[in-house]
Amino acid sequence: MAEKEKMTVYIISDSIGETAYNLATAATVQFPEVEFTYHRFPLSKTTSLLAGILEQAKRANAFVVHTLVGKGLAGYVNQFCKDNNLYVLDGMSKLINTISQKTGLTPLYQAGRNHKLNKTYFNRIEALEFAVTYDDGKDPKGFLQADIVLLGVSRTSKTPLSLYLANKNYKVANLPLVPQTNIPEELWQVDPQKIFGLTNDPQVLNNIRKERLVTYGLNPETNYSNLENIEAELKFAEKLYKKIGCLVINVSNKSIEETATLITESLPL
């Protein structure tokens, strides 16, 4: 029996992403000979957040499906995909624009207006908003309220992973690790079983960071992408993980889903 062709699908939304997911799966089930892997990125409401997600999509040569309605977001994704030769399906813009032209009315550009306002919906929105609020260590108090705390140096998929887990109703906070910076006191008050240290292979991280700088039109050879500096960052993180006693996950060869499954299955009952 021939091995199935594989395709990665990135599903992006500025709401919870159900419409985009249903749209993608409604089409992909028509191709049973292909093995599809889905990565869902809900509440993607800023271009800075989208930039990180799209860089991952580029590395995975993914098919991008989105239902972004926020002003400028759809255009940003569509242009990125065009510039980087990624196939993209914009599930909302053309339909909204057509209705606007026919009626002469201006659309609201509000995400998530078609969802039923039930308890499950509100719980998911709460988890997603929590992940956005406590992303990148913005407020250390979030560590005390989180179901999961993610630690990692830059470009270890903390934010996309936080949003993926939030879509599973987990409240997630994350903290970027930089040597010579103070670790918030709140972190030491968290159950180590709820903390997960993300790491990566130095060379893989070196390539990811260089690609990131090139995307922004910057010189790829900087302290940020320097291999020795990256190795020092990873050693700093490893030392911290040992001190905390948390589970360490190398994300270099793992999908978002695989890493998320490792985390959820390791949580205390």
Side-chain angles (χ1 to χ4, degrees):
M1 184 176 180
E3 185 177 349
K4 284 188 174 183
E5 182 179 345
K6 296 182 179 180
M7 180 180 288
T8 300
V9 183
Y10 270 45
I11 299 171
I12 306 172
S13 172
D14 42 13
S15 182
I16 63 174
E18 292 300 322
T19 301
Y21 179 74
N22 290 337
L23 181 63
T25 53
T28 55
V29 294
Q30 302 299 322
F31 299 89
E33 65 275 21
V34 180
E35 181 181 334
F36 292 96
T37 301
Y38 304 96
H39 297 263
R40 299 175 67 174
F41 300 96
L43 277 192
S44 302
K45 296 184 177 182
T46 65
T47 53
S48 59
L49 185 57
L50 286 169
I53 295 169
L54 291 170
E55 278 303 313
Q56 286 194 49
K58 177 182 174 182
R59 291 195 295 273
N61 191 27
F63 171 39
V64 177
V65 177
H66 72 83
T67 51
L68 298 162
V69 297
K71 286 188 175 180
L73 297 182
Y76 178 84
V77 171
N78 294 341
Q79 189 62 48
F80 181 96
C81 291
K82 180 180 178 181
D83 293 343
N84 291 279
N85 299 314
L86 293 178
Y87 285 96
V88 60
L89 173 61
D90 180 344
M92 295 295 288
S93 296
K94 288 184 179 179
L95 182 58
I96 289 174
N97 291 338
T98 300
I99 294 173
S100 177
Q101 291 170 7
K102 183 172 178 59
T103 63
L105 300 174
T106 302
L108 294 174
Y109 294 110
Q110 292 180 1
R113 286 185 59 86
N114 62 324
H115 294 289
K116 295 178 181 178
L117 303 183
N118 56 31
K119 185 177 180 180
T120 300
Y121 173 79
F122 281 118
N123 287 343
R124 186 176 300 174
I125 287 296
E126 183 181 1
L128 289 165
E129 289 180 342
F130 186 96
V132 172
T133 300
Y134 297 109
D135 183 44
D136 277 344
K138 292 173 185 173
D139 185 350
K141 293 178 183 177
F143 301 142
L144 303 177
Q145 305 168 40
D147 300 316
I148 296 168
V149 176
L150 303 178
L151 309 178
V153 302
S154 176
R155 314 319 304 167
T156 48
S157 301
K158 296 182 299 298
T159 296
L161 184 56
S162 294
L163 291 174
Y164 181 88
L165 288 164
N167 200 50
K168 304 293 183 182
N169 283 10
Y170 291 99
K171 292 182 178 179
V172 186
N174 72 68
L175 177 68
L177 299 179
V178 181
Q180 286 82 50
T181 57
N182 292 326
I183 301 300
E185 274 301 316
E186 289 85 351
L187 186 64
W188 305 106
Q189 301 173 40
V190 179
D191 181 350
Q193 289 183 288
K194 294 183 178 181
I195 302 176
F196 297 87
L198 306 178
T199 190
N200 207 328
D201 295 339
Q203 191 61 60
V204 172
L205 206 50
N206 174 256
N207 293 335
I208 291 173
R209 290 187 179 184
K210 283 183 177 180
E211 289 177 8
R212 175 77 162 169
L213 291 168
V214 169
T215 299
Y216 282 105
L218 302 173
N219 182 359
E221 303 298 335
T222 66
N223 288 335
Y224 176 68
S225 60
N226 179 272
L227 189 57
E228 289 185 6
N229 289 344
I230 289 173
E231 289 174 343
E233 289 181 41
L234 292 171
K235 287 180 181 178
F236 169 79
E238 183 181 351
K239 185 177 179 180
L240 177 65
Y241 299 158
K242 287 182 178 178
K243 188 173 182 179
I244 293 172
C246 62
L247 179 67
V248 180
I249 302 174
N250 189 320
V251 301
S252 60
N253 294 310
K254 291 182 178 64
S255 67
I256 294 289
E257 290 91 343
E258 288 173 323
T259 305
T261 298
L262 279 174
I263 288 172
T264 55
E265 289 183 349
S266 302
L267 288 172
L269 298 176

